Amino acid sequence: MLISSIVVALSLVAHDPPMLRCSVGELRNNPEGYFWPLSNIRSFVGDADLIVRAKAIGMGPAQPLQMFGRPDASVRFDVLEMLRGDRSITQLFVPGDSTALDDFNGTAVPYRMVRHGGQRGSCFATAYKIGAEYLLLLRATDGVFNPYWAPLAPLNEQVTGRDDPWVSWVRHQLR
C-alpha cells in the first residue's frame, strides 16, 4: 500500500498537467524521436519571408497578432544582420513579452526543436531577453512579421552573435 502510494505520488510529480504540455502530431509520429525532421528545418529556412539576426532592445507598440498571453505586447528589435529579405528594414516589432532570463537552445545544431520557453503551453517561445540577440525566421501574417508559424520549431532562437553555430548553419542553408 505504501509503495503504490509513493508510485502514484511520483507519477503525479513527474508529469506536467495536460494543459501545460504542447504536442504536435507530426513530431509524435517521427520515428527518429520527438523533434522536427531535418528536411522540415531546411523547409522552415526556405519558407521564411525574412531572416534576421537581431537584438531585443525594449518593448514596442501593440501588435494586431493576438495569439498569446499579453496579446497587445511586442518586443522591439534592431536588425544586426539581414540574411534574407528587405535590407532597408532596420527595426522590427515582434509580438511577445520580455524576460530577464536567457533561453538558449540546449540541443545540437541544426536545432530541430524550439528553445525551452516554447516547449510548454502555446508551443511557441514568446519571451525575449532585452539586450540579447536572436535569429528570427519570420513570415508575414496580417501584415506583421512574426516567428509563430510552425509550432515547436526553432524560428526565434537566442544566439551568441554573428558566429553562433545556429546562425552559421542557417546562413549556409541560404547559399
Side-chain angles (χ1 to χ4, degrees):
M1 174 99 144
L2 178 61
I3 292 175
S4 64
S5 296
I6 291 171
V7 169
V8 169
L10 288 175
S11 69
L12 291 174
V13 170
H15 299 289
D16 292 330
M19 69 185 140
L20 296 178
R21 281 189 240 147
C22 176
S23 184
V24 176
E26 189 171 351
L27 278 64
R28 276 195 317 272
N29 297 322
N30 182 358
E32 298 176 283
Y34 196 79
F35 47 81
W36 286 102
L38 185 56
S39 59
N40 288 74
I41 301 304
R42 287 187 175 115
S43 291
F44 295 149
V45 172
D47 292 344
D49 297 320
L50 190 69
I51 302 177
V52 299
R53 183 174 56 85
K55 184 175 185 175
I57 59 169
M59 297 305 292
Q63 293 291 312
L65 185 68
Q66 298 183 2
M67 296 173 62
F68 311 108
R70 282 182 38 206
D72 60 345
S74 72
V75 177
R76 186 173 55 164
F77 287 89
D78 277 346
V79 174
L80 303 173
E81 178 183 2
M82 181 67 66
L83 283 78
R84 167 185 285 152
D86 182 350
R87 297 206 182 278
S88 69
I89 297 173
T90 60
Q91 198 168 81
L92 292 167
F93 297 92
V94 174
D97 211 344
S98 66
T99 181
L101 304 174
D102 284 313
D103 188 15
F104 291 101
N105 197 316
T107 63
V109 170
Y111 298 146
R112 295 171 64 188
M113 175 63 67
V114 68
R115 56 192 164 101
H116 182 73
Q119 295 178 22
R120 312 182 109 219
S122 71
C123 300
F124 298 97
T126 61
Y128 302 89
K129 183 178 179 181
I130 304 305
E133 289 187 25
Y134 292 84
L135 184 66
L136 305 173
L137 282 69
L138 304 154
R139 291 188 78 183
T141 304
D142 298 327
V144 176
F145 283 113
N146 76 78
Y148 312 124
W149 47 278
L152 296 177
L155 303 176
N156 60 344
E157 297 299 315
Q158 186 175 354
V159 297
T160 58
R162 175 174 187 65
D163 297 323
D164 183 272
W166 178 235
V167 175
S168 296
W169 188 87
V170 170
R171 197 181 288 124
H172 179 75
Q173 296 306 303
L174 294 170
R175 290 185 189 141

